[in-house]
Amino acid sequence: MRAHTTGRTSSSLLGRIFGVAVDRQTYRNALYLLLRFPLGIVYLTVFVTLLSVGVSLVPLLVGVPILAGVLAVAGYVGVIEAALLRTLVGREAAWTPTSPNDTPIVPYLKQVATEPHNYLFLILAFVSFVTGNTLFVALVVWFALSLSFVIAPAVYRVEGVQYFNVAGPVDLGIVTVTESQLIVDTLPEALLVSLVGIVSTVIGLHLVNLTTRVYADITAAVLSTSE
């Protein structure tokens, strides 16, 4: 009975470690993080353009309503972020921006300008640009390297295949590292490199889930305080 329990515990532990690779939510989370990149660019382009125009026209007083309009647009960042949380992360979130319908333009602009959460969404938009670039580069580099290691047994015989450069010669026993490259020219070496790639891939997928959880928690917190 004790052995049976131990076996189930071991199986459960392996499932938690490697199950991430077959969990659809992991790949939804990865898409959620990757979308930070194009969204960040859109956010930056829209808000930098509007802010620049608004500030430059403040002396003519025309810039004041434009700056208020920036905050009105910022309210729709909350709509986009809430939709992403619901669709990709499975988190219940919603945000309804101030509607311009049936509201005179001056009271509407005053309302959006005095709504503190529009400022939070504006900050979130600029943060998305920074995090989007960082996450995109990190994800692409990490998984490109990991997968290139995973397929080592299939490509190690291809002439000119190199995995990374090093500063000087290092003797690792079964793997020979020269001054400029990691040489994999036998099946045992290729299998070892592939194992490293598998471990790296699994770690990367867990990091994807962890990063998504943190980012989603922060975004959900902003949305919840905005209700």
Side-chain angles (χ1 to χ4, degrees), residues 30-107:
L31 179 59
Y32 176 77
L33 296 181
L34 288 172
L35 284 175
R36 298 290 100 206
F37 179 64
L39 273 177
I41 293 176
V42 172
Y43 289 158
L44 184 73
T45 302
V46 170
F47 289 115
V48 166
T49 301
L50 292 177
L51 286 171
S52 299
V53 173
V55 171
S56 64
L57 294 178
V58 164
L60 301 177
L61 300 181
V62 180
V64 176
I66 293 177
L67 292 177
V70 171
L71 295 172
V73 175
Y76 289 91
V77 172
V79 176
I80 296 172
E81 295 299 331
L84 288 175
L85 283 178
R86 290 193 309 270
T87 305
L88 296 178
V89 186
R91 298 279 292 270
E92 289 299 324
W95 166 248
T96 303
T98 303
S99 174
N101 296 332
D102 303 324
T103 304
I105 185 65
V106 174

Side-chain angles (χ1 to χ4, degrees), residues 102-114:
D102 303 324
T103 304
I105 185 65
V106 174
Y108 169 72
L109 292 177
K110 182 179 179 180
Q111 187 175 359
V112 297
T114 55

Side-chain angles (χ1 to χ4, degrees), residues 15 41 58 64 71 75 84 101 122 135 151 156 174 179 202-203:
I41 293 176
V58 164
V64 176
L71 295 172
L84 288 175
N101 296 332
L122 186 60
L135 289 170
I151 63 174
Y156 78 97
I174 63 173
E179 293 186 1
V202 171
I203 291 174

